[in-house]
Structure formats: C-alpha cells, structure tokens
Amino acid sequence: MSVDVASGCVQGALRAHSPNQDARPDGARPELVVLHGISLPPGVFGGGGVDALFTNTLDPAAHPFYAQIAALRVSAHLFIRRDGDLVQYVPLHRRAWHAGRSFWQGREACNDFSVGIELEGTDDHPYSEAQYSVLVPLCRALMAAYPDLGPDRIVGHCDIAPGRKTDPGPAFDWQRLWRGLAGRGDD
C-alpha cells in the first residue's frame, strides 16, 4: 500500500467523493492520525449508511436514527469496512470534517492537521481481522508519505475529544496495532 502525496490518494482504495471537506490552512499537513469507530444504523454493520452520511445522501426516513443525523456535514479521509474494503472520501492533502471540537498536545482544531480513519465498528464489539490487516499497512503508508507521522501520533477520537467521544472504544486492540507497526506479526 502506498500514498501519492501529490494527489492525496491511497493506492488501492475505492473512491467516493465527500463534499464535506475544504482546504487545510496554509502550511498545514498531516501530523496526526485519528482513528474513529462508526456503524449506521448504530450497531449494524454493512449497508450504505456510512457512505450516505459522508456523501450527504442519507435518507432520514430510512431509519429512525437517520432523522437525527441526516443534516450533519461530516466526513473522514478513509473508511475501513468490516470486510477490509478501504474507501477514500477526501484527498489526504485536504481537510476532512471528522474530529469536531478537538485538541491534541495543546493544539485545537485537529481537522487542520490530521488524517481521519473510520473503522466500521462499535466501542464494545471487536474489530475484524480484515480491518487490522488493512489498517496496519495503511498506517505504515501514511507514515512513509508524511514524515511528521509516527506510531506516537496515531490516536483515538476519544483522545482528542475526551468526555465528548469514546471511539474507537475499548474493543479496539491498540496492542495489535502497535505490534503490527513494529513488524511483530498480526498483519
């Protein structure tokens, strides 16, 4: 897996366009990776709910929960489905609207300098083997493309929005990610 820095595209990712993006501030570049967890409807895997949310096509009548969120304008750079399919919604050199109010190491507005990766899942349901098999090489590719990134700059949404967000939750196996990034198996 690799990243084309000029286009901001991840090789091998399926493409879908999210309008919920804009230019990063002048001089801003990826310095942080934020891992999220999402399922739509909540607790349901598969289907097109996440794609519809990120592309502003979510039908508020399709599920009672959708009526609450259909007007949101959010996106992520990348989404890893349960089966390991990788979808890219926003080029990496642009700002995706994934973190909301956030701060990291004294800096606010993490969307300005982060890459948002959504994993299809919930806080309390283990993420799939296929997802880790994509996440590890994806993080390696991001670190190779953007020298300010490293394993210590991969955080959860819960870390940059404590008290407001809990994802990717206790079901996410951070040790598995660290082992994979260190080349000690599991990927």
Side-chain angles (χ1 to χ4, degrees):
M1 189 172 298
S2 64
V3 172
D4 180 330
V5 176
S7 69
C9 292
V10 176
Q11 170 263 331
L14 304 169
R15 303 274 187 269
H17 174 76
S18 175
N20 306 323
Q21 60 172 295
D22 57 6
R24 292 187 189 271
D26 286 343
R29 62 196 175 285
E31 299 177 48
L32 185 68
V33 173
V34 179
L35 301 181
H36 303 262
I38 189 170
S39 61
L40 289 176
V44 176
F45 304 140
V50 174
D51 290 317
L53 178 65
F54 291 166
T55 58
N56 299 344
T57 59
L58 191 64
D59 178 0
H63 186 276
F65 183 71
Y66 292 177
Q68 301 172 40
I69 65 168
L72 292 178
R73 296 298 174 248
V74 296
S75 61
H77 291 93
L78 299 152
F79 174 50
I80 304 174
R81 294 186 175 123
R82 301 292 294 178
D83 64 4
D85 280 349
L86 177 64
V87 182
Q88 183 166 7
Y89 297 94
V90 176
L92 300 173
H93 60 277
R94 295 194 44 89
R95 177 172 49 194
W97 304 345
H98 63 94
R101 290 183 329 276
S102 54
F103 62 92
W104 183 72
Q105 295 188 346
R107 294 172 69 186
E108 293 185 0
C110 294
N111 285 343
D112 291 351
F113 57 92
S114 65
V115 171
I117 301 173
E118 293 275 2
L119 297 160
E120 187 174 29
T122 66
D123 285 8
D124 56 1
H125 187 85
Y127 291 85
S128 74
E129 294 299 314
Q131 288 175 298
Y132 290 106
S133 294
V134 171
L135 180 61
V136 169
L138 174 59
C139 287
R140 285 183 185 151
L142 291 169
M143 291 185 295
Y146 300 104
D148 291 330
L149 292 177
D152 61 330
R153 292 180 178 231
I154 302 172
V155 300
H157 200 187
C158 56
D159 299 314
I160 64 167
R164 187 173 69 83
K165 294 294 182 177
T166 59
D167 57 312
F172 184 76
D173 188 347
W174 287 99
Q175 294 304 312
R176 167 94 189 268
L177 175 62
W178 305 142
R179 284 191 312 270
L181 292 176
R184 294 195 310 262
D186 291 331
D187 65 317

